[in-house]
Amino acid sequence: MSFSDALYNTWLNITNFDGRSRRSELWWSFLVYFISTCIVGLLVSNAIALTAISLVLYGWIAAVTVRRLHDRGHSGWWVAAAIALSVTQNVYAAASGSLELLQAANVTPEEVIEILSSPVYIICSLGGIVCNIVILIFCLQDSFPDKNKYGLSPKYFSHELCKTVHLT
């Protein structure tokens, strides 16, 4: 799938968490997501605006990632689990005052170790790492050519197949 086709498909399905998507659609979309996030991070200094823009961009990449997992026959709940663990980790860090302490200029190594050794922080960090590694492995694998519970394969499906099985 070409760069423009991938972005067009992703844009058309920006809120669609059903169906399947190809690897090229995910990776081209992820490249645009990464570059956009970097540019927004450099240009926007307001933390609230940066968070809002980042969430919109993340929603875009989450939808195509879920469809990519569907292409392999896996549930999109992997993405939901990774998001939940990340949000829990960030909320815990903010609620405990860890973020302010880590950003302070005079923080000692002992204080950093105390913050990072919290059981909640460790469980959320390790869980998030495991979820994201599993998602990456699933997304790197080739599509299943057969129809699965999420639909026909966008890679192996052709209009000729439609004509032979009278789907059109």
Side-chain angles (χ1 to χ4, degrees):
M1 181 177 280
S2 70
F3 176 75
S4 59
D5 289 341
L7 293 183
Y8 181 72
N9 280 350
T10 303
W11 181 254
L12 283 179
N13 294 302
I14 195 166
T15 59
N16 181 11
F17 289 84
D18 295 326
R20 297 167 68 167
S21 67
R22 296 183 60 180
R23 279 184 292 191
S24 55
E25 183 179 349
L26 174 69
W27 300 124
W28 282 123
S29 298
F30 189 81
L31 177 66
V32 170
Y33 163 77
F34 178 76
I35 292 170
S36 300
T37 303
C38 290
I39 291 170
V40 167
L42 292 173
L43 297 178
V44 178
S45 59
N46 184 331
I48 294 172
L50 181 61
T51 301
I53 294 168
S54 295
L55 285 174
V56 169
L57 290 171
Y58 191 77
W60 177 51
I61 202 68
V64 72
T65 303
V66 167
R67 290 193 311 274
R68 179 69 198 132
L69 290 174
H70 288 172
D71 195 43
R72 291 283 307 153
H74 301 292
S75 172
W77 287 108
W78 282 100
V79 174
I83 292 170
L85 287 166
S86 177
V87 167
T88 303
Q89 179 182 3
N90 289 328
V91 167
Y92 174 77
S96 67
S98 301
L99 293 178
E100 291 82 17
L101 186 59
L102 288 173
Q103 293 171 349
N106 57 356
V107 63
T108 65
E110 291 81 17
E111 291 172 322
V112 172
I113 290 171
E114 182 180 336
I115 292 167
L116 298 179
S117 64
S118 161
V120 173
Y121 197 84
I122 291 171
I123 290 169
C124 289
S125 296
L126 291 176
I129 289 168
V130 169
C131 276
N132 284 303
I133 288 173
V134 169
I135 291 168
L136 176 65
I137 291 169
F138 288 161
C139 288
L140 288 173
Q141 295 173 334
D142 194 14
S143 302
F144 287 131
D146 301 327
K147 181 179 178 180
N148 66 18
K149 66 181 179 179
Y150 302 107
L152 294 169
S153 171
K155 180 177 180 179
Y156 297 105
F157 180 72
S158 71
H159 293 291
E160 294 302 317
L161 177 64
C162 261
K163 292 175 186 173
T164 60
V165 293
H166 306 291
L167 294 175
T168 56

